[in-house]
Amino acid sequence: MPTSQRYLTISQVDARRLVLSRQHLAGSRPPADATSLRTVLRALRYVQLDPVNVVAPSHELVLWSRLGPRERVADLTNDQRKPTPER
């Protein structure tokens, strides 16, 4: 292993906190608007679109768990088709 690489050791509690916060499953929920939707989708990088929707489509459930009650994804994105710069 090169000397420039080092391991970081964190506790299980800190690891869990890090994972939950990066997945937008901890802390306060952002407002349920198109900007927050884009922020969550960029952070997640991948949301599976599943045609089976017993309760709701799976991609809607993933976003609901992070943003709370809001408009459907299609309703938020239909009028927001302009590209946004990457950060």
Side-chain angles (χ1 to χ4, degrees):
M1 172 172 57
T3 58
S4 63
Q5 291 183 347
R6 297 191 178 156
Y7 291 103
L8 175 66
T9 304
I10 61 174
S11 69
Q12 286 183 338
V13 171
D14 288 338
R16 182 177 188 277
R17 187 176 295 129
L18 177 64
V19 168
L20 290 175
S21 67
R22 294 300 297 157
Q23 292 292 314
H24 292 269
L25 290 170
S28 60
R29 286 185 170 165
D33 58 14
T35 301
S36 296
L37 175 65
R38 282 191 295 273
T39 299
V40 169
L41 289 174
R42 279 193 185 114
L44 294 177
R45 302 267 183 196
Y46 175 82
V47 176
Q48 179 178 339
L49 298 176
D50 193 346
V52 178
N53 56 353
V54 175
V55 176
S58 63
H59 61 282
E60 294 285 341
L61 293 175
V62 167
L63 297 171
W64 176 84
S65 68
R66 287 149 175 91
L67 297 171
R70 56 170 183 72
E71 298 176 56
R72 292 179 46 101
V73 172
D75 297 337
L76 288 173
T77 57
N78 282 340
D79 61 340
Q80 305 284 333
R81 297 272 181 201
K82 58 185 173 206
T84 57
E86 288 293 321
R87 293 181 185 170

